[in-house]
């Protein structure tokens, strides 16, 4: 079973009334198999069809029959053993179960329509009845279908059930478009598409974005709002293959401000994401404009989102404790569970770089539990990676988790897969599992090469060389570039790894490692970073500081 198939099943159980367990049944009663008079048979069919909406008053609204007449007929059916009454007072077909399924298709279609009309908006199962009542002669009212779909889907988004919500949006949009076919006036298709785009951007996976883009591009007629929705999705997809400048231009030129506050928030979210891929200065400029927008009364979601974005900026600036505090603040205020998971994971990343490994593990575990609850595969894998990174960095005894590597590949987000491979390669190196360490380091390098991650490629290549060895000139060239790395901790690790690959580099590398080490507080020197600690790098460079020796490399 695919994840999509499971989501469709779950969505179906949400849209379709699910009967509670049957009450204890009496011994088979010969009366139940007797032929019912036509009026009683008709009521029995309605009871079988409309359950659980089968209180006498509900059946009266559905069938347009007076309640006293239905009450009398129901008592007759109970005495004949064809119907029973549940503890909650609903009528339940027993001996006549399946009678509705034997009715003609046109009767069932009209019955679906009658049940939908009788139920209040948002009632459990009403959307299913609306969709099942459609026919070529009576396709239904499109705006009614849109409203019902939104009523059902909106709470699912808040609880993180994005897969089920997507399937219901798909069914609702298809039915609304069918109902609108041939009508002169437009219907509120953009309301469904806007929510779908919000959902897809929250999911973040290429598959979710592609599916939303397909539906947006099918919208007719094309409007400025659908063009802006398309630009948002294309920009988000471009971030995985194109430059940040290209993604940012798609948003700035193609996605005009939205009147809907949630969509406008998403537009700013994509702008900030794209700017982050450009440069720190560009990110600061975009965030300054977003902060001015958020100064207006925009609601708790906007304020919490701004805290999360500012946290990412502080992370890029190396202010990790501030970043962690901002992400924690965002996690408290974001209304969607998937957004809270993202903030918790961002906070865990910042805590890792702040050398607060126990807190990072705690935050990652909380995010993982929430991701499991709402079946968000990307966030679950990301949480597992952060948890294992925290455990590796604090020195827990680990062996490489190759199954996690394969699961990360199935999520199909190259950067996440590369990060998982990098951590498991480091674990394998510490364990002495050198073939595994080499294979995973090469995989990391290849993934970051395809994504154009310049410093990531260099870091992965340093790890490859540290496992397999390298000639002097190649190691020297890598060390020269590592010295220029804008992140001192990464530069220190690459220099240490280059010395492990080629010990002849020690005279060249030792003073550089010592100089870079002084940019990191001495109390953090014994603590591991991605692969090495500062202490590790100094020992490899032949300049061991005082203190306990590092674990064997």
């Amino acid at each position: 079973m695919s994840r999509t198939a499971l989501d469709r099943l779950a969505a179906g159980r949400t849209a379709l009334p699910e009967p509670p367990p049957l009450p204890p049944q009496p011994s088979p009663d010969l009366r139940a198999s007797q032929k019912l008079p036509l009026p009683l048979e008709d009521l029995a069919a309605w009871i079988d069809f409309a359950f659980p909406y089968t209180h006498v008053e509900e059946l009266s609204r559905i069938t347009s029959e007076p309640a006293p007449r239905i009450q009398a007929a129901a008592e007759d059916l109970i005495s004949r053993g064809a119907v029973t009454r549940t503890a909650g007072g609903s009528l339940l077909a027993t001996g006549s179960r399946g009678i509705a399924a034997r009715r003609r298709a046109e009767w069932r279609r009209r019955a679906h329509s009658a049940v939908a009309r009788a139920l209040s908006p948002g009632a459990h199962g009403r959307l299913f009845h609306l969709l099942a009542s459609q026919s070529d002669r009576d396709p239904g009212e499109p705006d009614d279908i849109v409203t019902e779909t939104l009523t059902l889907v909106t709470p699912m988004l808040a609880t993180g059930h994005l897969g089920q919500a997507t399937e219901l949006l798909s069914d609702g949009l298809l039915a609304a478009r069918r109902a609108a076919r041939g009508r002169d006036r437009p219907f509120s298709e953009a309301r469904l598409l806007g929510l779908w785009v919000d959902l897809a951007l929250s999911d973040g996976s290429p598959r979710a974005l592609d599916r939303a883009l397909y539906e947006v591009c099918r919208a007719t007629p094309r409007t400025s709002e659908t063009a802006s929705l398309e630009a948002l999705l294309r920009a988000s997809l471009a971030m995985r293959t194109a430059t940040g400048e290209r993604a940012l231009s798609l948003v700035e030129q193609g996605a005009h401000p939205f009147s809907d506050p949630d969509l406008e928030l998403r537009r700013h979210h994509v702008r900030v994401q794209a700017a982050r891929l450009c440069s720190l200065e560009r990110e600061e400029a975009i965030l300054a404009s977003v902060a001015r927008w958020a100064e207006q009364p925009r609601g708790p979601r906007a304020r919490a989102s701004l805290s999360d974005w500012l946290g990412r900026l502080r992370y890029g600036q190396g202010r990790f404790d501030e970043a962690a505090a901002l992400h924690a603040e965002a996690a408290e205020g974001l209304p969607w569970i998937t957004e809270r998971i993202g903030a918790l994971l961002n906070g865990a990343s910042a805590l890792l770089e702040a050398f607060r490994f126990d807190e990072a593990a705690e935050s990652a575990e909380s995010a993982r539990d929430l991701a499991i609850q709402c079946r968000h595969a990307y966030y679950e894998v990301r949480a597992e990676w952060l948890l294992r990174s925290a455990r590796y960095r604090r020195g827990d005894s680990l062996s490489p988790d190759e199954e996690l590597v394969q699961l990360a590949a199935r999520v199909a987000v190259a950067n996440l897969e590369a990060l998982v491979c990098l951590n498991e390669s480091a674990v394998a190196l510490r364990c002495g599992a050198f073939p595994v360490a080499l294979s995973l380091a090469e995989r990391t390098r290849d993934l970051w090469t395809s994504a154009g991650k310049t410093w990531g490629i260099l870091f992965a290549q340093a790890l490859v060389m540290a496992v397999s060895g390298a000639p002097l000139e190649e190691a020297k060239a890598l060390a020269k570039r590592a010295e220029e790395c804008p992140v001192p901790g990464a530069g220190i690790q690459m220099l240490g790894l280059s010395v492990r690959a080629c010990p002849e580099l020690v005279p060249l590398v030792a003073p550089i490692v010592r100089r870079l080490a002084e940019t990191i507080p001495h109390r953090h020197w014994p603590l591991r970073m991605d692969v090495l600690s500062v202490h590790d790098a100094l020992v490899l460079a032949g300049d061991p500081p005082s203190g306990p020796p590092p674990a064997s490399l």
Side-chain angles (χ1 to χ4, degrees):
M1 293 290 288
S2 68
R3 289 180 62 85
T4 301
L6 291 171
D7 283 329
R8 284 201 65 79
L9 287 172
R13 286 197 299 273
T14 301
L16 177 64
E18 185 175 3
L22 290 176
Q25 297 296 301
S27 302
D29 192 334
L30 291 177
R31 296 172 301 164
S33 62
Q34 296 173 356
K35 179 70 174 174
L36 295 172
L38 191 59
L40 293 184
E41 182 182 305
D42 199 43
L43 180 58
W46 278 107
I47 292 170
D48 185 36
F49 184 87
F51 188 83
Y53 299 109
T54 52
H55 284 81
V56 168
E57 295 76 12
E58 292 169 326
L59 287 169
S60 177
R61 290 198 302 272
I62 291 169
T63 63
S64 300
E65 290 287 335
R69 185 180 300 172
I70 289 177
Q71 180 68 52
E75 296 300 331
D76 197 349
L77 284 169
I78 292 171
S79 69
R80 292 169 180 267
V83 166
T84 188
R85 185 175 278 110
T86 69
S90 297
L91 298 170
L92 176 68
T94 54
S96 57
R97 287 201 74 140
I99 188 172
R102 296 192 293 272
R103 292 290 174 107
R104 293 179 180 274
E106 183 59 24
W107 183 91
R108 294 198 303 274
R109 191 196 64 75
R110 291 199 309 271
H112 282 299
S113 180
V115 173
R117 286 195 306 271
L119 297 179
S120 58
H124 185 63
R126 184 169 184 264
L127 177 62
F128 167 78
H129 288 294
L130 278 174
L131 304 188
S133 69
Q134 281 191 309
S135 70
D136 291 336
R137 285 183 297 171
D138 183 15
E141 177 57 48
D143 285 327
D144 193 16
I145 294 170
V146 169
T147 300
E148 194 63 30
T149 303
L150 292 171
T151 301
L152 194 60
V153 165
T154 301
M156 287 185 175
L157 300 182
T159 56
H161 294 93
L162 304 187
Q164 295 176 38
T166 299
E167 298 310 318
L168 288 175
L169 278 171
S170 176
D171 289 345
L173 183 59
L174 176 65
R177 284 172 170 168
R178 182 184 179 191
R181 197 179 301 148
R183 295 174 184 251
D184 293 333
R185 62 181 180 84
F187 74 103
S188 50
E189 180 181 32
R191 294 171 64 199
L192 285 182
L193 291 174
L195 192 62
W196 199 331
V197 169
D198 201 356
L199 180 158
L201 291 170
S202 179
D203 183 292
S205 68
R207 185 182 181 281
L209 295 168
D210 275 330
R211 192 168 177 188
L213 180 61
Y214 172 75
E215 293 297 346
V216 168
C217 290
R218 293 179 65 204
T220 54
R222 297 282 292 168
T223 65
S224 59
E225 184 167 5
T226 54
S228 292
L229 292 174
E230 180 182 343
L232 275 187
L233 293 167
R234 291 196 184 280
S236 191
L237 283 165
M239 288 181 217
R240 287 157 175 79
T241 55
T243 64
E245 291 291 350
R246 168 64 179 154
L248 189 56
S249 69
L250 283 169
V251 185
E252 303 284 46
Q253 296 174 19
H256 303 293
F258 293 95
S259 57
D260 180 277
D262 288 327
L263 283 176
E264 182 61 3
L265 182 65
R266 280 297 176 196
R267 188 177 74 87
H268 289 304
H269 175 68
V270 175
R271 290 177 67 216
V272 171
Q273 279 187 310
R276 190 176 300 130
L277 298 177
C278 299
S279 66
L280 201 58
E281 294 74 24
R282 197 69 180 275
E283 184 181 359
E284 289 172 342
I286 292 291
L287 263 175
S289 71
V290 173
R292 287 193 294 273
W293 170 82
E295 285 172 0
Q296 306 300 320
R298 304 291 183 186
R301 189 183 184 194
R303 290 194 299 273
S305 295
L306 181 60
S307 294
D308 203 35
W309 300 336
L310 284 171
R312 294 294 296 271
L313 176 62
R314 296 292 176 259
Y315 182 98
Q317 294 168 332
R319 296 154 65 177
F320 301 118
D321 289 301
E322 291 179 51
L326 284 164
H327 290 310
E329 180 183 318
E332 289 293 321
L334 288 165
W336 286 16
I337 191 170
T338 48
E339 294 174 323
R340 291 202 298 277
I341 295 169
L344 285 169
L345 293 174
N346 291 338
S349 290
L351 290 165
L352 270 185
E353 301 308 321
F355 298 95
R356 294 159 62 181
F357 302 141
D358 289 340
E359 293 172 78
E362 183 180 344
S363 185
E365 282 182 324
S366 298
R368 182 189 60 184
D369 292 344
L370 290 173
I372 290 170
Q373 175 184 319
C374 61
R375 300 182 69 247
H376 198 299
Y378 168 75
Y379 279 155
E380 188 177 346
V381 171
R382 188 175 163 206
E384 287 286 358
W385 159 64
L386 283 164
L387 179 57
R388 283 191 55 86
S389 294
R391 293 181 63 198
Y392 170 75
R393 294 186 189 203
R394 73 186 179 192
D396 293 7
S397 179
L398 300 173
S399 56
D401 189 343
E402 295 183 70
E403 183 182 10
L404 179 59
V405 171
Q406 300 310 315
L407 292 172
R410 295 185 66 179
V411 171
V413 177
N415 190 53
L416 176 61
E417 183 184 349
L419 290 167
V420 170
C421 289
L422 178 68
N423 189 72
E424 298 311 309
S425 179
V427 170
L429 179 64
R430 296 276 179 180
C431 292
F434 299 123
V436 175
L438 179 60
S439 173
L440 291 173
E442 290 174 336
R443 187 166 171 176
T444 305
R445 180 193 60 198
D446 294 344
L447 285 163
W448 273 333
T449 298
S450 64
K453 302 279 188 181
T454 304
W455 292 110
I457 298 166
L458 193 67
F459 196 107
Q461 180 59 26
L463 186 53
V464 169
M465 291 164 54
V467 180
S468 61
L472 177 60
E473 288 307 313
E474 185 179 344
K476 188 184 294 184
L478 187 142
K480 182 173 177 56
R481 293 200 62 202
E483 185 183 1
E484 301 166 358
C485 181
V487 181
I492 290 168
Q493 293 178 82
M494 287 189 279
L495 289 164
L497 291 169
S498 68
V499 173
R500 190 181 192 279
C502 181
E504 297 104 297
L505 277 183
V506 167
L508 173 68
V509 164
I512 304 171
V513 172
R514 172 60 71 172
R515 175 172 55 81
L516 292 177
E518 293 301 329
T519 66
I520 295 175
H522 284 221
R523 68 182 183 277
H524 294 153
W525 282 14
L527 304 176
R528 294 177 188 170
M529 296 176 281
D530 308 83
V531 178
L532 304 179
S533 65
V534 173
H535 198 144
D536 292 330
L538 287 167
V539 168
L540 287 166
D543 186 16
S546 58
S552 173
L553 285 168

